Amino acid sequence: MISIIPEFYGFSIQELENIVESENDTNNKPEIDIDYKRELETLKIALIKNGYNELNPIAPKPFLDGELTNNLRIGDYSEAFFVINIRIKDSDVFQTRDAVEKYAFELYKSIATIRIDINSFVLSIFVEIEGDKQRNIFMRLNRKDLKELILRNFTAKDFVNGIENKLFDELYRDL
């Protein structure tokens, strides 16, 4: 009896590891039918309930000396793709980047709390300063990286710097 219990425990650990490996192995996974449109609609509704009213196109959010609108692309997409338009009059470049980083950080933290079957999140941010051309900031995170970054208790700047898949217009780079 004493020799069986440790052996059983060893087999249980091995079985658990095999289950985790098989769940992570996409080649052995059967095709799961996910209604991505419904998942994206659920995400949008949850974000609006969390105060992101700018996802409603008729309710822009005041942002610096202008406004921000956010449009979550809804359809049969396996990725949540947010198109964020920021129109400002005359804000400082440093102030603008800081405000964008804070908005992205807060939005990503809210997304992380919502349980949906979508695991990739893109923010495509277009910043238009009056009298200047439109500038783009792009960020993509998968759920695993998002949770890891949030657990580090970063500031907004550290969080954005920790995102590997990002691109800043030259105006906002290296600030």
Side-chain angles (χ1 to χ4, degrees), residues 69 83-88 124-137 168-172:
T69 59
V83 177
I84 301 166
N85 290 294
I86 299 172
R87 288 177 199 85
I88 50 181
S124 184
I125 304 166
F126 297 91
V127 180
E128 187 177 324
I129 301 172
E130 196 170 281
D132 192 14
K133 69 178 186 173
Q134 194 174 57
R135 310 286 183 156
N136 187 261
I137 299 170
F168 282 86
D169 182 273
E170 74 248 4
L171 182 64
Y172 299 109

Side-chain angles (χ1 to χ4, degrees), residues 100-147:
V100 168
E101 287 172 341
K102 286 177 187 165
Y103 181 80
F105 180 50
E106 293 303 321
L107 180 58
Y108 272 130
K109 283 193 325 187
S110 290
I111 290 169
T113 65
I114 300 168
R115 299 185 57 88
I116 56 172
D117 287 327
I118 292 179
N119 295 312
S120 181
F121 310 97
V122 174
L123 304 184
S124 184
I125 304 166
F126 297 91
V127 180
E128 187 177 324
I129 301 172
E130 196 170 281
D132 192 14
K133 69 178 186 173
Q134 194 174 57
R135 310 286 183 156
N136 187 261
I137 299 170
F138 177 88
M139 301 174 205
R140 174 179 277 128
L141 269 174
N142 63 38
R143 187 172 298 279
K144 179 182 175 243
D145 294 339
L146 173 58
K147 288 188 179 205

Side-chain angles (χ1 to χ4, degrees), residues 14-30 32:
Q14 284 178 341
E15 288 174 347
L16 181 61
E17 289 172 349
N18 288 339
I19 290 170
V20 169
E21 285 176 8
S22 69
E23 285 178 353
N24 292 333
D25 184 7
T26 56
N27 294 333
N28 294 336
K29 252 187 179 175
I32 298 173

Side-chain angles (χ1 to χ4, degrees), residues 1 9 21 28 35 48 50 53 57 94 110 114 116 131 142 151 174:
M1 184 77 155
Y9 182 74
E21 285 176 8
N28 294 336
D35 185 353
I48 290 172
N50 286 336
N53 296 321
F94 296 99
S110 290
I114 300 168
I116 56 172
N142 63 38
L151 288 175
D174 303 323

